[in-house]
Amino acid sequence: MKFDKDFIFGGATAAYQCEGAINEDGKGVVCWDKYLEETNGYNPEPASDFYNMYKEDLENCEKFGINGIRISIAWTRIFPNGDGQVNKKGVEHYHNLFRECIKRGVEPLVTLHHFDTPYELNKNGDFTNKATVDLFVRYAKFCLKEFNEVQKWATFNEIWPWSSCQYLIGTFPPAIKYDLEKTVKCIHNMLLAHAMVVNYFKDTEIPGEIGIVHSLQTKYPIDDDPKNIDAAKREDAITNGMALDATYLGYYSPETMKYLNKIFDGNGLSLSFDEEDFEIMKKAAGRCDFLGINYYSSQWLRAYDGENDTFHNGTGERGTAKRKLKAIAEEVQRDDLPKTDWDWIIYPQGLYDMIMRIVNDYPNYNKIYITENGIGIKEELNENNTVEDTQRIDYVRDHLKVVLKAIEHGANIKGYYLWSLMDMFSWSNGYNKRYGFFFVDFDTMKRYPKRSAYWWKELSQTKELI
Ligand code: BGP
């Protein structure tokens, strides 16, 4: 059970969740700035202070064998309002950060949009508005040309969660609930923006790789009742099918359209897309260098035709999550499987099933990185100034085992980035859901390696999973 010598043993971050410095050096306003305080009651400042402490974090990476880092650029540091003039200080900051990565032997994989749309653009409809697509493409082109230290680019992080949390579940700003039309429009326009950026990257022959990061959970029917099988397919079509089809086919397959139409019919709506968008998507479909998979959990589903009814467990109080979506599906909590305090079922086999589905159904996927995987735990420092996070080690080991199995069965997987490199805040769950290799004391900003960091160091040296 060994990884190749060029396998990336990485750690993942996202600008808004770790940088802090939200008003420094000309940064513009992000849709979360006010929203977080007002609705969730916690502050994005100073987060993990990565803006000022990145040198220390990268030094830790080097010390602990972490040879890759997922970073996102904050759009509002480059174009403070999403539009207009370039903010030189923001540009300079990311040059310094990327240079430091290279100096430490920690290769950056850089995401252009990780849930942090500029406030004004989010207010005007986020990606449901095609004006945002054009502005995103402008910002992306600027970054791709400017930051030539970067060899690995991802356009978006998690189009489905970003769209559905804004417009369906209502846990991300502007917190609109149960608007299916907006949700699907947002997904589609982001997939279109991705394709436009990929085409630009390839047409202008920018060196390096470009890809996209999708959140992919396997959707299983709770039993073999045809109605429940149908529900799992509906859920799959809107969460996974749209994203994978657009990325690798350049259109939505007849199967995906069949289940999307069932969802829309069941909600008394009709579905349509601009045909010319598919021309752009088709051109990009074979040109995507890698797929980033974010995987935490899978879902079991049964048919549901009642009214929408959801509850987000953002506090880690077990058994409180609820998700029933009209004419899509109801999530069934399987009590026979382990889960986290936030009701996320732990199921590594779901990652294996997803990888093999991609390998079989989308043979032009090229290459996969596991761009996020990890477990959120309520943790405290012990008397030895560390955290004995054996639960995290077990979680990661079990997921890496299926990664190795998938590689053995023909999947081209080239790296794994733990979510998260160090502790940071979670969008809708606050600061007590910790994921990092490094414990962050949010009062002093001091970092402490957890047991998992030592385990990772050994793994990245030996490449052997035991
Ligand atoms: C992904 C996001 C990350 C991160 C992670 C953990 O969806 O890309 O930004 O937050 O999930 O999720 P959570 O913070 O909800 O626990």
Side-chain angles (χ1 to χ4, degrees), residues 21 104 156 222:
R104 294 281 173 195
F156 286 108
I222 189 66

Side-chain angles (χ1 to χ4, degrees), residues 408-419:
E408 213 176 286
H409 295 169
N412 187 29
I413 309 172
K414 290 295 187 191
Y416 173 104
Y417 299 76
L418 179 88
W419 183 266

Side-chain angles (χ1 to χ4, degrees), residues 254-278:
E255 167 98 349
T256 298
M257 284 306 293
K258 175 175 149 190
Y259 290 102
L260 284 181
N261 277 316
K262 285 190 186 199
I263 295 172
F264 271 62
D265 287 351
N267 281 277
L269 302 167
S270 64
L271 179 68
S272 69
F273 300 104
D274 285 345
E275 282 304 311
E276 67 257 32
D277 295 348
F278 296 120

Side-chain angles (χ1 to χ4, degrees), residues 441-455:
D441 177 330
F442 290 112
D443 294 324
T444 62
M445 288 298 138
K446 216 169 148 15
R447 274 75 165 142
Y448 301 88
K450 300 180 193 175
R451 174 65 48 213
S452 57
Y454 294 96
W455 175 75

Side-chain angles (χ1 to χ4, degrees), residues 84-250:
Q85 297 294 311
V86 171
N87 172 34
K88 289 208 180 96
K89 287 206 164 157
V91 175
E92 206 180 289
H93 168 74
Y94 288 109
H95 274 303
N96 293 337
L97 170 58
F98 299 144
R99 282 181 200 136
E100 188 70 18
C101 290
I102 290 155
K103 184 176 136 197
R104 294 281 173 195
V106 185
E107 197 197 0
L109 188 164
V110 177
T111 310
L112 290 160
H113 180 278
H114 194 130
F115 296 175
D116 56 351
T117 305
Y119 173 76
E120 283 297 325
L121 305 187
N122 179 260
K123 201 175 81 183
N124 294 332
D126 204 85
F127 281 88
T128 66
N129 185 341
K130 277 211 172 162
T132 305
V133 172
D134 293 335
L135 290 173
F136 173 76
V137 173
R138 174 174 179 258
Y139 149 70
K141 284 180 176 176
F142 174 84
C143 293
L144 297 175
K145 270 201 292 196
E146 175 70 28
F147 297 112
N148 49 25
E149 307 90 344
V150 177
Q151 293 292 307
K152 288 182 169 53
W153 289 99
T155 51
F156 286 108
N157 178 69
E158 299 195 348
I159 287 177
W160 160 254
W162 176 241
S163 306
S164 61
C165 289
Q166 285 185 86
Y167 299 118
L168 194 64
I169 312 296
T171 47
F172 288 3
I176 290 169
K177 275 188 141 183
Y178 311 137
D179 190 326
L180 258 181
E181 281 174 313
K182 282 201 169 81
T183 306
V184 167
K185 205 171 183 184
C186 191
I187 296 171
H188 176 78
N189 286 347
M190 290 178 85
L191 290 165
L192 172 66
H194 158 78
M196 289 162 84
V197 173
V198 168
N199 286 334
Y200 169 80
F201 187 88
K202 294 294 173 187
D203 289 345
T204 54
E205 298 179 4
I206 292 173
E209 312 173 359
I210 192 157
I212 187 164
V213 172
H214 289 313
S215 152
L216 298 167
Q217 300 185 331
T218 300
K219 309 289 179 176
Y220 303 99
I222 189 66
D223 55 29
D224 55 10
D225 180 332
K227 278 202 201 121
N228 298 335
I229 294 174
D230 189 88
K233 291 198 166 170
R234 291 178 190 216
E235 175 80 31
D236 181 72
I238 194 165
T239 61
N240 301 322
M242 282 189 80
L244 290 171
D245 286 356
T247 309
Y248 292 109
L249 306 176

Side-chain angles (χ1 to χ4, degrees), residues 426-443:
S426 158
W427 308 96
S428 52
N429 312 285
Y431 283 90
N432 73 338
K433 193 178 189 187
R434 293 174 180 266
Y435 280 94
F437 281 131
F438 300 95
F439 181 93
V440 175
D441 177 330
F442 290 112
D443 294 324

